[in-house]
Each structure stands twice: as C-alpha cells, then as structure tokens.
Amino acid sequence: MQGTILFVSLLLIGLVAVVFAAVVLASTSRGEPDKRAMETHRVRLMVAFAIIGFVVTYVSLRPWPHEAEAFEGAMTVEVTASQWSWEISQKEIPVATSVIFNVQSHDVNHGVGVYDPKGALLFQTQAMPGVVNRVKYTFSEPGSYRVLCMEYCGLAHHGMTDEFKVVEK
Ligand code: CUA
C-alpha cells in the first residue's frame, strides 16, 4: 500500500511539473493567444482533473474503513484507551476471521494504530470519550500485532503500547 501511495504521489508530482513546463513554454511563445481555444482547453483540463480526482479517491479509499456493519461470524473486540494504557478484551484473535473493533476512551482523545509483525501499519482510528468508533478487519497472518497510540495524549503517550496475537484456528 505504501509503495502504491509513493508511486501515485510521484506520478502526480510529475504531472504538475509537466503542466508547469507547458505554462512556461506557452508564455514565452509569441503571437496573440486564441482565447476560445484556451477556454476549451481549460474546461477539458478541469474535467480531466475532476475525473482523475474521483478515480484516485475511490481507489485509495477502498476497502472502505468505515464499512463496519456487524454480520454473522464476525467477532467483536472491545478496545478501550486510558492514560496511558489499552484494555483489549481479546488477546488472541483467530486468523481469517472478520473482527469488529469497538474503540473508545475513558478519558481524553487517543488514536489506536494496529501494526503487523513486520511493523507495517494496518489500520487506525481515534479513541474518543463517549463515542464508539468501529473498525472491521480480517487478519490474514498469524503473529504478534502491536497496538500504538497515534495521538499525543499526555506525558506517557510514547509508552502507550500493547500487543495481541493472531493465532491459527
Ligand atoms: Cu494515548 Cu497518546
């Protein structure tokens, strides 16, 4: 995922560079500009960027992080934050099982980030007092998963870590 984001970012940076170069070249060329042609060109560019924007947004947002409807067979795990520790209701989660994380906080705003055994961030959401944020996730590999606080929440924010295991069924 990070590789894809890097690729798309570089592509868009390149595109912006091409547009800049085109503008500089056009401004140095002589002659009266054709206003009608410019207008058509501008509209085409706007439509093209709108389409690219929609496609990039759609592709990069899937699978929808907020798609967390309960369904049969899904397991529920309660994750509650407090300064400066996590309460996780289930420390062993079976592999290839849909899990719904119900995330909330006892005190201030925290952020929960779940990292795979290789240290890659899988998902994150806010842990807020009075609000339950739900995240649905299916783990595909057994191992030890780390939970880190993703939002500064006071003096011992850095120490607010925990772990759970994903195990074979
Ligand atoms: Cu909890 Cu930072």
Side-chain angles (χ1 to χ4, degrees):
M1 187 62 178
Q2 268 107 339
T4 312
I5 292 169
L6 179 67
F7 176 73
V8 171
S9 303
L10 289 176
L11 199 73
L12 291 177
I13 290 169
L15 194 67
V16 170
V18 168
V19 170
F20 265 74
V23 168
V24 170
L25 284 177
S27 69
T28 54
S29 67
R30 289 163 187 230
E32 195 60 25
D34 181 348
K35 289 210 166 132
R36 233 167 129 193
M38 274 173 64
E39 192 62 36
T40 314
H41 191 60
R42 190 180 299 156
V43 169
R44 278 194 194 135
L45 267 181
M46 281 171 66
V47 171
F49 279 122
I51 291 170
I52 291 170
F54 278 118
V55 170
V56 169
T57 304
Y58 183 78
V59 171
S60 61
L61 274 180
R62 293 188 70 229
W64 307 112
H66 43 271
E67 180 201 332
E69 300 86 30
F71 60 90
E72 273 184 57
M75 188 182 146
T76 305
V77 176
E78 307 297 327
V79 178
T80 310
S82 48
Q83 288 166 315
W84 287 278
S85 62
W86 298 101
E87 276 170 45
I88 303 171
S89 68
Q90 186 95 16
K91 288 299 193 96
E92 290 204 344
I93 294 173
V95 76
T97 302
S98 286
V99 183
I100 293 173
F101 291 91
N102 289 328
V103 180
Q104 59 182 317
S105 168
H106 277 315
D107 39 42
V108 299
N109 273 16
H110 302 264
V112 60
V114 173
Y115 290 80
D116 76 4
K118 291 178 200 126
L121 178 63
L122 297 178
F123 61 86
Q124 62 166 322
T125 191
Q126 264 200 315
M128 302 154 78
V131 178
V132 178
N133 284 322
R134 301 166 78 208
V135 182
K136 186 175 80 178
Y137 197 82
T138 304
F139 296 95
S140 54
E141 278 178 39
S144 212
Y145 288 68
R146 294 235 296 156
V147 177
L148 301 187
C149 186
M150 306 291 279
E151 185 170 331
Y152 184 70
C153 56
L155 277 181
H157 154 76
H158 62 279
M160 201 169 153
T161 68
D162 208 330
E163 253 181 28
F164 61 83
K165 289 208 166 8
V166 171
V167 295
E168 298 282 0
K169 283 187 202 174

